[in-house]
């Protein structure tokens, strides 16, 4: 038992750090205070300049305007095509009824009546 | 000034819609539509006609003809109703519509009545002096009712010019006697 205690005491005895240990630790800590740019943040650095930020805003505005114009054009086209279909339907319905009238008038003609 | 503009705008809008509304006193068409099993309503005012015109294909003969016809039109309104069985509308319903067309500016040019199959077609033209200002077509069958209101300068010649398009035959209308050529078959 005493032998074990002796071995423990020997192993856990106070030992002074080597010369310059504290300075080296402080120097290492100081060097880690300036983190390296991580890959996820590279683009934030790219927009660091004001010109680039304005260019990005302008590009976004232009793309929004173009998208809006294209959407409006497509919507107009859909409405126009629908209006055209309605017009053709109206003319076909009118035509079919005129056909009935014409057919009746032709039948009257062929039956030899003087007035149509 | 803005108020005046709004009032003028409202008056103009009312004037534009007046044609279709005035010819359905008492809402006869609305009443009939409520009883119909199938309804087709086409309401194209002048602005919609212009809009539609821009999408008509000039290479298609029907569409090219349609473009010419609607060039000066103020509106085309079509109400086509189908009923499940006959007797859903009466002669009284139709007389309300006909009464509105008894005004002096309207002339019935064609009146075809077929007792055999019950197909009746009446065509009225609206004239202001020598100018044609509109056409009404009233077609009835036992289970069908069609009311066409074409507002604008459509002439009997225009109707004749429609021949060969949209399934419309060449109609010969004697313009000199527009007082009604009614015939019962």
């Amino acid at each position: 038992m005493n032998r074990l205690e002796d071995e423990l005491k020997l192993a856990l005895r106070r030992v002074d750090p080597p010369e310059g240990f504290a300075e080296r630790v402080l120097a290492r800590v100081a060097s880690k205070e300036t983190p390296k740019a991580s890959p996820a943040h590279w683009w934030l650095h790219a927009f660091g300049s004001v010109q680039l930020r304005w260019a990005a805003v302008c590009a976004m505005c232009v793309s929004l305007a173009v998208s809006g114009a294209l959407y409006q054009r497509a919507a107009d086209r859909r409405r126009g095509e629908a209006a055209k279909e309605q017009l053709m339907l109206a003319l076909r319905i009118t035509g079919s009824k005129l056909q009935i009238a014409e057919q009746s008038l032709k039948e009257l003609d062929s039956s030899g009546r003087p007035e149509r | 000034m803005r108020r005046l503009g709004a009032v003028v705008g409202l008056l103009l809008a009312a004037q534009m819609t007046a044609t279709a509304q005035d010819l359905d006193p008492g809402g006869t068409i609305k009443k009939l539509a409520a009883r119909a099993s199938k309804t087709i309503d086409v309401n194209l005012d002048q602005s919609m006609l212009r809009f539609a015109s821009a999408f008509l294909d000039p290479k298609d003969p029907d569409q090219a003809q349609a473009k010419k016809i609607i060039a000066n039109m103020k509106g085309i309104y079509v109400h086509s109703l189908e009923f499940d069985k006959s007797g859903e509308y009466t002669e009284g319903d139709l007389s309300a519509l006909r009464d509105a067309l008894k005004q002096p500016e309207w002339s019935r040019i064609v009146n075809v009545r077929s007792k055999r199959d019950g197909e009746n077609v009446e065509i009225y033209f609206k004239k202001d002096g020598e100018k044609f200002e509109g056409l009404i077509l009233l077609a009835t069958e036992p289970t069908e009712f069609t009311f066409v209101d074409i507002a604008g300068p459509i002439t009997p010649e225009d109707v004749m010019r429609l021949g060969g398009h949209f399934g419309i035959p060449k109609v010969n209308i004697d313009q000199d006697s527009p007082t009604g050529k009614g015939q019962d078959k």
Side-chain angles (χ1 to χ4, degrees), chain A residues 76-77 79-80 84 86-91 93-95 97-100 102 104 107-108 113 116, chain B residues 42 44 51 55-56 70 112 116 119 123 137 141 144 146 148 166-170 172 183-185:
Chain A
D76 281 350
R77 179 148 208 94
R79 284 195 305 132
K84 183 184 90 176
Q86 286 226 317
L87 170 66
M88 299 306 285
L89 174 66
L91 292 173
I93 289 171
T94 307
K97 300 307 169 190
L98 284 171
Q99 180 107 42
I100 292 168
E102 170 70 359
S104 301
E107 283 175 25
L108 285 170
R113 288 175 69 164
R116 290 187 308 169
Chain B
V42 178
L44 294 166
F51 190 48
F55 290 88
L56 291 169
I70 66 170
V112 173
R116 189 180 59 207
E119 287 178 338
I123 301 172
L137 185 148
E141 293 176 46
E144 276 187 43
T146 303
V148 177
F166 322 107
I168 301 172
K170 290 192 174 180
N172 293 313
Q183 282 296 332
D184 287 349
K185 283 169 52 184

Side-chain angles (χ1 to χ4, degrees), chain B residues 69 71-74 126 131-134 150-155 158:
Chain B
I69 295 164
N72 297 310
M73 289 298 157
K74 291 176 183 168
K126 185 180 185 184
K131 288 192 298 182
F132 287 93
E133 289 197 331
I150 298 179
I154 186 165
T155 64
D158 290 330

Side-chain angles (χ1 to χ4, degrees), chain B residues 3 6 19-21 33-34 36 45 75 82 107 121-122 149 161 169:
Chain B
R3 274 186 191 171
T19 308
Q21 286 172 3
D45 60 16
E82 278 183 35
S107 301
V121 180
E122 296 166 50
D149 175 5
R161 239 176 262 138

Side-chain angles (χ1 to χ4, degrees), chain A residues 54-69:
Chain A
W54 276 111
V57 168
C58 288
M60 199 173 286
C61 287
V62 168
S63 72
L64 277 174
V66 169
S67 306

